[in-house]
């Protein structure tokens, strides 16, 4: 039986970053591979030229949307494996109308983001940033941020049991911290299985020493961390956002940070990057990083997962992370 034809659309400039040699060997073992010839990800015209013979394609960040025109030119296409996290930007209604099998490497990407989040939790509860600055200025322990705290005696609030949120919960398990979870889609049984206490968002804001955001960016979650929630936070709390900037009302956040009440780590902002004159670039109790929580230079685990998803699809085996139309509305 002939091998399926799989089109790689991510652009050759990104091959080393996304695909390991093992991934290429695994792909060649079950498929005939065709390549988008340009350095950068395929635009719509590129997809129209590349996909007509393809049974499946591998997509990535900045590939053009798979819209009705593209699908009309690709009558054989049955599966899409995305090497990034969210498929929201490029999967169209036409994809669902054709019943195309869609997968995402979000669980692989989640590991990187969760590890970064864990690091920020530890740095935050130990108050390393304000205390190190105090020492640099000639001080020692006579500072409002002293004493530093421990993770095991902290209350960690997780907002969103996404792939990342769940992985953060797993990484926190050895620390024996008390974990609160806000997620309207998680019931009490699932919360118990995760080892967390399900609470409403206002209670989480009041009780948590650390609040870590892992919700999708949706109309319903825009500015979910608003002025009233921010005012409920403990004066010495830590707020971490490695999800999406739009989850926080940044005008309200700046007002609260300006009071010096709590510390924030923002890997994402809204807009991104912050304006050159944004107070987020100057306030001493906030650290803004350039959207680096996920993988940066070595994302080969994403390519490996995408290849494995397609191997499973053509072998008739269960997928690792299939995205379905009913899930699509909850993806940011």
């Amino acid at each position: 039986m002939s091998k399926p034809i799989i089109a790689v659309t991510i652009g050759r400039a990104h091959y080393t970053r996304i695909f390991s040699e093992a991934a290429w060997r695994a792909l060649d073992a079950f498929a005939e591979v065709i390549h988008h010839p340009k350095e950068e990800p395929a635009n719509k015209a590129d997809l129209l030229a590349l996909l007509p013979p393809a049974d499946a394609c591998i997509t990535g960040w900045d590939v053009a949307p798979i819209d009705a025109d593209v699908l009309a030119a690709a009558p054989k296409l049955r599966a899409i494996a995305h090497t990034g996290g969210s498929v929201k930007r490029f999967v169209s209604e036409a994809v669902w109308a054709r019943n195309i099998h869609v997968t995402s490497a979000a669980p692989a990407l989640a590991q990187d983001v969760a590890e970064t989040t864990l690091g920020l939790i530890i740095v935050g509860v130990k108050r390393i940033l304000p205390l190190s600055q105090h020492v640099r200025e000639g001080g020692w322990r006579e500072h409002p941020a002293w004493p530093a705290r421990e993770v095991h005696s902290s209350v960690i609030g997780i907002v969103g049991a996404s792939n990342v949120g769940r992985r953060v919960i797993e990484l926190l398990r050895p620390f024996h911290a008390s974990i609160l979870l806000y997620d309207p889609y998680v019931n009490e049984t699932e919360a118990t299985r995760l080892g967390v206490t399900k609470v409403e968002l206002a209670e989480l804001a009041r009780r948590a020493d650390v609040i870590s955001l892992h919700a999708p960016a949706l109309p319903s979650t825009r500015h979910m961390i608003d002025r009233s929630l921010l005012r409920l936070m403990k004066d010495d709390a830590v707020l971490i956002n490695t999800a999406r900037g739009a989850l926080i009302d940044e005008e309200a956040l700046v007002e609260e940070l300006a009071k010096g009440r709590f510390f924030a780590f923002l890997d994402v902002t809204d807009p991104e990057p912050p304006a050159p004159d944004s107070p987020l670039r100057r306030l001493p109790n906030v650290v803004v990083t350039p959207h680096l929580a996920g993988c940066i230079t070595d994302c080969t685990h994403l390519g490996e997962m995408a290849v494995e998803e397609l191997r499973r699809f053509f072998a008739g085996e269960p997928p690792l992370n299939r995205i379905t139309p009913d899930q699509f509305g909850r993806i940011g």
Side-chain angles (χ1 to χ4, degrees):
M1 191 170 69
S2 61
K3 292 181 176 180
I5 298 173
I6 296 179
V8 181
T9 68
I10 69 168
R12 292 179 181 272
H14 305 281
Y15 276 16
T16 301
R17 178 181 176 224
I18 300 295
F19 289 103
S20 64
E21 289 300 320
W24 287 123
R25 289 194 299 270
L27 188 58
D28 288 336
F30 72 88
E32 178 184 339
V33 184
I34 58 176
H35 300 268
H36 166 51
K38 298 178 183 177
E39 290 296 298
E40 293 308 312
N43 60 31
K44 183 170 181 176
D46 297 326
L47 293 176
L48 290 170
L50 182 68
L51 294 185
D55 297 293
C57 66
I58 296 176
T59 58
W61 293 295
D62 298 325
V63 171
I66 311 294
D67 63 16
D69 295 336
V70 171
L71 288 177
K76 296 173 59 183
L77 195 71
R78 293 188 286 149
I80 300 169
H82 185 49
T83 58
S86 174
V87 300
K88 193 83 169 196
R89 188 191 60 78
F90 73 93
V91 170
S92 67
E93 287 298 324
V95 170
W96 305 126
R98 272 264 294 269
N99 197 30
I100 289 174
H101 182 90
V102 178
T103 65
S104 161
L109 183 61
Q111 177 68 23
D112 299 290
V113 181
E115 288 174 356
T116 301
T117 302
L118 177 62
L120 295 176
I121 291 171
I122 295 170
V123 168
V125 299
K126 284 294 185 181
R127 309 183 188 197
I128 287 174
L129 270 298
L131 290 171
S132 65
Q133 181 62 32
H134 180 58
V135 172
R136 183 177 294 112
E137 293 168 354
W140 190 236
R141 290 182 171 181
E142 65 293 345
H143 188 275
W146 184 261
R149 294 173 291 181
E150 290 71 41
V151 176
H152 69 80
S153 58
S154 299
V155 177
I156 312 295
I158 302 295
V159 178
S162 60
N163 285 305
V164 178
R166 289 168 185 262
R167 187 64 184 129
V168 172
I169 291 168
E170 291 175 9
L171 293 177
L172 284 169
R173 198 159 288 141
F175 293 87
H176 306 292
S178 175
I179 303 175
L180 306 179
L181 172 67
Y182 169 74
D183 189 315
Y185 297 101
V186 172
N187 59 32
E188 294 289 350
T189 301
E190 177 70 359
T192 299
R193 190 190 69 78
L194 290 171
V196 302
T197 302
K198 179 177 166 64
V199 296
E200 293 302 315
L201 190 54
E203 181 179 352
L204 185 148
R206 281 194 302 267
R207 292 175 56 189
D209 299 305
V210 177
I211 299 174
S212 190
L213 307 184
H214 305 290
L218 302 170
S220 61
T221 61
R222 178 172 174 77
H223 292 183
M224 66 187 301
I225 308 301
D226 60 12
R227 182 171 279 101
S228 63
L229 262 296
L230 291 165
R231 287 176 176 171
L232 288 176
M233 288 175 58
K234 293 181 177 182
D235 284 352
D236 60 351
V238 177
L239 176 64
I240 298 171
N241 191 4
T242 55
R244 291 291 183 265
L247 299 178
I248 303 177
D249 179 344
E250 286 192 1
E251 180 179 342
L253 175 63
V254 167
E255 289 179 11
E256 292 303 307
L257 288 172
K259 299 174 185 177
R261 294 203 310 109
F262 55 79
F263 201 97
F265 292 100
L266 308 177
D267 189 51
V268 287
T269 55
D270 183 27
E272 192 171 288
D277 61 348
S278 170
L280 295 178
R281 293 181 181 267
R282 302 190 306 273
L283 287 165
N285 54 330
V286 59
V287 170
V288 179
T289 49
H291 204 143
L292 53 72
C295 62
I296 302 299
T297 59
D298 183 355
C299 300
T300 52
H301 51 312
L302 307 185
E304 289 167 0
M305 185 171 179
V307 169
E308 175 60 13
E309 289 282 28
L310 291 180
R311 187 201 67 76
R312 286 169 175 254
F313 175 75
F314 288 106
E317 299 175 10
L320 297 171
N321 186 45
R322 185 177 184 181
I323 307 300
T324 59
D326 64 300
Q327 296 171 327
F328 195 63
R330 304 203 303 265
I331 295 173

